Amino acid sequence: MKEDGEAASEIVLLAVPDSADARLFVELSSYGADLAEARHALELAIRGSNDTLLRDAAPYLSGFAALAYCRTYFPSNVRRPLTDHVVIPGELQDIHLMIGAFRNTTIAHSQSQLTTTFPVALIDSSSLQLRDVMASTFVQPLPPPLVSRFLELVKAVDDLLLEVTEPVRQRLMTEMRHADLARMVAEGKSPDVIHSTDADFNPRTKRRAYPSGNTIYWSKTEIDD
């Protein structure tokens, strides 16, 4: 907010120079992004018990939360596991391990009995004549008490992550206070934005430890508008 008579100012986005701390900050903050997705999905899933619009989506939201949470510590080609930086609290180890198993056997892969497809025949009860043969799939989502406990886990891990991240952020703040910001602004040292179309969308890219920019894929409709 600006006071009366105060000149309006703009925010300039500058890239923090590449360094060990900058790369560590990127890594830690990327875990935070995953945890934020998991937390938001779980909060929506819990709200679904009292919201008819969200009720049907609740199982899918808790499943997505499991994927987002497990991204933080499952093997990756571009970053270390979150568990290299924080220790999962002992009282939450059981739900931590359960969510990992849930992700592996049910959400990311179809192996567990929690999702089972049965071949069933529909028989007329009076004539005992066959009406049809069809597949019936039974799906057991994460039970509501476990969804609540899962959210507790995500919040606890996020708090631990913040404790690790904040000292790194403060060191970068100190570095930037002593940097020649005017020169950096003049040289345009900000993340590059590359514009492309959805026809070129590529999920097989690999991000860098110190990213220099990113690609935005626009649909033809958005470009025409």
Side-chain angles (χ1 to χ4, degrees):
M1 178 182 295
K2 65 183 181 68
E3 302 294 335
D4 291 341
E6 181 183 348
S9 62
E10 296 181 356
I11 298 296
V12 177
L13 193 66
L14 282 178
V16 174
D18 189 4
S19 67
D21 267 347
R23 295 183 178 218
L24 177 58
F25 186 66
V26 167
E27 183 169 283
L28 296 173
S29 299
S30 70
Y31 304 133
D34 289 334
L35 292 175
E37 289 186 4
R39 181 172 184 164
H40 191 207
L42 290 170
E43 288 172 343
L44 287 174
I46 290 172
R47 196 166 70 184
S49 60
N50 299 312
D51 186 324
T52 54
L53 292 177
L54 287 173
R55 188 172 300 140
D56 290 343
Y60 307 106
L61 289 166
S62 58
F64 171 78
L67 288 173
Y69 176 73
C70 289
R71 280 202 305 263
T72 66
Y73 69 97
F74 272 35
S76 167
N77 291 324
V78 299
R79 68 180 182 186
R80 292 166 292 176
L82 171 60
T83 46
D84 281 4
H85 302 283
V86 304
V87 177
I88 306 299
E91 67 274 16
L92 294 170
Q93 276 286 345
D94 59 337
I95 188 70
H96 170 77
L97 294 173
M98 180 183 294
I99 294 303
F102 180 58
R103 178 268 183 202
N104 277 349
T105 65
T106 307
I107 303 302
H109 307 281
S110 183
Q111 300 173 12
S112 99
Q113 196 176 7
L114 296 176
T115 301
T116 303
T117 300
F118 299 93
V120 294
L122 301 183
I123 308 297
D124 185 281
S125 61
S126 300
S127 65
L128 299 184
Q129 295 296 309
L130 176 67
R131 289 285 188 87
D132 202 355
V133 171
M134 60 184 294
S136 178
T137 300
F138 167 84
V139 178
Q140 170 61 62
L142 201 62
L146 294 181
V147 173
S148 297
R149 191 118 193 280
F150 184 12
L151 179 57
E152 179 186 355
L153 168 67
V154 170
K155 289 180 177 179
V157 173
D158 201 25
D159 288 343
L160 292 170
L161 175 62
L162 180 60
E163 293 178 8
V164 175
T165 306
E166 185 58 19
V168 182
R169 191 182 74 84
Q170 289 297 333
R171 292 198 298 270
L172 292 175
M173 287 282 289
T174 299
E175 175 187 330
M176 291 302 288
R177 285 192 184 100
H178 292 89
D180 187 346
L181 299 181
R183 178 182 59 79
M184 293 175 68
V185 170
E187 292 177 354
K189 292 188 176 298
S190 59
D192 294 326
V193 178
I194 303 167
H195 297 278
S196 189
T197 67
D198 53 6
D200 298 318
F201 182 77
N202 181 13
R204 297 187 181 279
T205 58
K206 184 180 293 185
R207 68 177 184 267
R208 300 173 181 175
Y210 180 81
S212 58
N214 215 339
T215 302
I216 298 178
Y217 298 94
W218 299 94
S219 69
K220 188 176 186 303
T221 303
E222 291 172 316
I223 294 174
D224 292 342
D225 291 342

